[in-house]
Amino acid sequence: MRAAGCVFAEEEAALLLAEAHDADHVQLMLRDRISGRPLEHVLGWAEFRHLRISVDDGVFVPRRRTGLLVDAALARVRSGGAVVELCCGAAAVGTALLTESPEAIELWASDIDPAAIVSARRNLEPLGGRVVLGDLFDGLPDSLQHGVDIVVANAPYVPTASIELMPFEARAHEPAVALDGGTDGLDVQRRIVSAAGRWLAPQGALVIETSERQATATMDLMRAGGLSPTLLRDEELDGTAVLGIAG
């Protein structure tokens, strides 16, 4: 594995051995990993905030930095409040929130990718969360309109021209719909911000993951959409997000 370019070869090998059913299974997983298949897809799960998040082939792998969205939401949850995770992928954020929240919350997750929905349901539904297939807010019940306390979104924010610069594992094994944010990387963020006012409760919060380079533009989008933005940054996680509060 080291010769094949796996930076953390020893740690990965230990994980594969722990998951293997038998020697043949070990060899199969090793071949898959050496071929460039993401470790998380080989294992069938990704670690996120000390949780095992089920991740099927072709589903976006949750990144450690996205834990910043969890922290931002946890700081604002209230008992009985409604939380929506958009562009949920495997619903790592929603799963962490239902696991860590000190309050009972109503958790909804949405994604446009049917493959992601399968993983998300496997992670969320045993915890009482609900998962819908739809484009952003589409698929959510109308009863949530003007009643959502927190919307969290790790929407795709990689500019189209930069996709080819991403690691091979992501380009080859994760869906483009989860990576490609359009010409400037902000296309999906624009759509979320423009629609958020119809769903957020008064003083509700929208939290969007972004990059340090794009953070100013994300804040400008929120201001233009009638939200009061605050920049969030966690150096340890290397995570950046913008929190917008509805009037």
Side-chain angles (χ1 to χ4, degrees):
M1 290 179 67
R2 177 73 69 187
C6 297
V7 177
F8 302 103
E10 290 79 11
E11 293 88 342
E12 292 191 13
L15 288 170
L16 295 176
L17 286 170
E19 290 294 314
H21 307 312
D22 51 39
D24 289 340
H25 193 203
V26 171
Q27 293 302 315
L28 176 61
M29 291 194 294
L30 281 172
R31 285 196 298 270
D32 283 349
R33 182 66 186 114
I34 290 170
S35 73
R37 187 178 171 201
L39 175 66
E40 293 82 2
H41 289 162
V42 175
L43 294 172
W45 56 269
E47 183 178 352
F48 183 77
R49 294 178 73 93
H50 307 296
L51 298 170
R52 285 194 176 192
I53 303 297
S54 177
V55 181
D56 291 332
D57 283 337
V59 176
F60 180 81
V61 175
R63 275 51 162 180
R64 181 171 176 266
R65 61 176 173 266
T66 305
L68 180 56
L69 298 185
V70 179
D71 291 331
L74 286 174
R76 299 188 63 87
V77 294
R78 66 177 182 85
S79 182
V83 180
V84 171
E85 180 184 5
L86 298 179
C87 307
C88 70
V93 172
T95 302
L97 286 173
L98 285 177
T99 302
E100 298 181 37
S101 174
E103 307 288 353
I105 57 175
E106 178 184 358
L107 197 294
W108 291 80
S110 171
D111 202 286
I112 197 172
D113 182 6
I117 292 298
V118 174
S119 291
R121 285 179 172 153
R122 190 180 301 123
N123 291 315
L124 268 189
E125 290 184 346
L127 301 174
R130 283 165 280 192
V131 181
V132 296
L133 176 67
D135 184 8
L136 301 182
F137 293 98
D138 293 349
L140 294 173
D142 291 343
S143 59
L144 288 175
Q145 291 186 20
H146 304 293
V148 177
D149 292 317
I150 306 167
V151 174
V152 293
N154 179 16
Y157 56 87
V158 180
T160 302
S162 297
I163 296 291
E164 64 183 21
L165 304 177
M166 296 185 69
F168 170 79
E169 291 182 11
R171 289 184 285 109
H173 294 278
E174 294 181 320
V177 70
L179 303 174
D180 193 339
T183 302
D184 62 357
L186 302 175
D187 283 0
V188 184
Q189 291 188 14
R190 287 189 184 90
R191 296 179 56 221
I192 292 172
V193 172
S194 67
R198 188 157 58 93
W199 295 89
L200 288 174
Q203 298 301 301
L206 169 63
V207 191
I208 296 180
E209 181 173 318
T210 189
S211 68
E212 284 192 275
R213 181 177 58 82
Q214 296 163 304
T216 297
T218 302
M219 294 180 75
D220 288 343
L221 286 178
M222 289 205 182
R223 288 192 191 95
L227 304 173
S228 299
T230 300
L231 177 65
L232 305 177
R233 175 69 187 166
D234 187 310
E235 295 296 338
E236 181 180 354
L237 293 175
D238 190 25
T240 304
V242 175
L243 166 71
I245 304 298

